[in-house]
Amino acid sequence: MMVRETKLKGCYIIEPKIFNDSRGYFFESFNQKTFNELTNQNVNFVQDNESFSSRGVLRGLHFQTRDHAQAKLVRVIKGSVLDVAVDIRIDSETFGEHVAVELTEDNKHQLFIPRGFAHGFVVLSDKAIFSYKCDNFYNKEAEGGIIFNDQDLQIDWRLQEEDLIISEKDMELTTFKELFI
Ligand SMILES: Cc1cn([C@H]2C[C@H](O)[C@@H](COP(=O)(O)OP(=O)(O)O[C@H]3O[C@H](C)C(=O)[C@H](O)[C@H]3O)O2)c(=O)[nH]c1=O
């Protein structure tokens, strides 16, 4: 497993070691000991999620507030997505900055997103199965979000806006500025 920290402190790209042979492939999609050693974290994941989406679906940007904040370890089992993590830790040197990482069934890369981030992704392939681990439970009442095309965040989602498929809920999310004023 290779781990490298992004420009956002505590946010890591993980490249698992893939064992290919004549049957196909094997890799450890998560190993708590290796993960905690290489990322210097002590994360205890409690909930696994999976979503299936078609090309153009954009889920996010979402977070959970205060004690319900979630760290996530995200990956793609089928297809490809552009995964975006936004640093919304108000005391962070990279407050308001984001990383955008292509996660695909071929590269098998994973992104660890610590608590204090907003998260979203857009599907670049025809279909995508997105799988992720959370270190805190879902809490509907604690859900928050930032509109995908926020003018201050300036996220390049790669696809044309007219090709995006976004839920009504996500189209009503607030702006970054409104969150912190
Ligand atoms: C997140 C979640 C949702 N739900 C229920 C609530 C809704 O009835 C249904 C769909 O939820 P939602 O539209 O919020 O799903 P996504 O848009 O994929 O939300 C996720 O999108 C971005 C990418 C994230 O990082 C978050 O994990 C999460 O917010 O599943 C649950 O029962 N448990 C859960 O943990």
Side-chain angles (χ1 to χ4, degrees):
M1 179 195 282
M2 267 179 49
V3 171
R4 54 192 159 93
E5 194 166 26
T6 68
K7 68 177 183 178
L8 307 179
K9 190 164 176 49
C11 184
Y12 294 86
I13 294 172
I14 291 119
E15 298 180 30
K17 179 166 177 50
I18 314 299
F19 297 93
N20 291 296
D21 65 26
S22 56
R23 299 166 298 169
Y25 69 79
F26 172 92
F27 72 101
E28 291 183 358
S29 51
F30 176 68
N31 178 309
Q32 186 166 48
K33 182 174 180 295
T34 316
F35 176 84
N36 285 345
E37 278 171 4
L38 293 177
T39 60
N40 198 24
Q41 306 275 330
N42 184 19
V43 183
N44 179 39
F45 293 112
V46 296
Q47 179 177 321
D48 281 7
N49 294 335
E50 178 175 310
S51 62
F52 170 81
S53 311
S54 303
R55 177 179 167 78
V57 167
L58 192 158
R59 296 175 184 257
L61 295 154
H62 301 158
F63 57 87
Q64 290 194 171
T65 57
R66 290 180 288 280
D67 295 347
H68 300 287
Q70 294 171 308
K72 295 165 190 163
L73 178 61
V74 304
R75 69 189 183 105
V76 165
I77 294 175
K78 192 77 191 153
S80 63
V81 309
L82 184 73
D83 199 76
V84 173
V86 182
D87 188 351
I88 56 174
R89 300 168 298 190
I90 49 176
D91 56 352
S92 166
E93 285 173 14
T94 52
F95 175 66
E97 294 186 37
H98 69 274
V99 290
V101 181
E102 207 167 308
L103 305 177
T104 78
E105 65 180 280
D106 294 328
N107 69 26
K108 298 181 179 55
H109 290 180
Q110 302 177 2
L111 188 64
F112 175 72
I113 304 157
R115 293 184 180 193
F117 279 65
H119 173 244
F121 67 87
V122 65
V123 177
L124 304 174
S125 52
D126 182 41
K127 307 287 181 205
I129 296 175
F130 191 81
S131 175
Y132 54 112
K133 308 178 86 66
C134 304
D135 78 336
N136 210 351
F137 295 107
Y138 172 64
N139 183 301
K140 188 170 184 55
E141 289 65 43
E143 279 192 304
I146 302 168
I147 191 78
F148 75 100
N149 58 359
D150 185 86
Q151 291 310 298
D152 291 298
L153 300 183
Q154 288 292 311
I155 297 168
D156 176 4
W157 293 101
R158 301 263 186 91
L159 302 182
Q160 298 298 316
E161 199 154 320
E162 59 266 24
D163 296 332
L164 296 176
I165 303 166
I166 301 174
S167 68
E168 272 181 42
K169 181 184 82 164
D170 285 355
M171 284 306 291
E172 291 159 11
L173 292 174
T174 182
T175 64
F176 179 68
K177 266 204 177 85
E178 286 165 342
L179 263 187
F180 294 100
I181 289 173

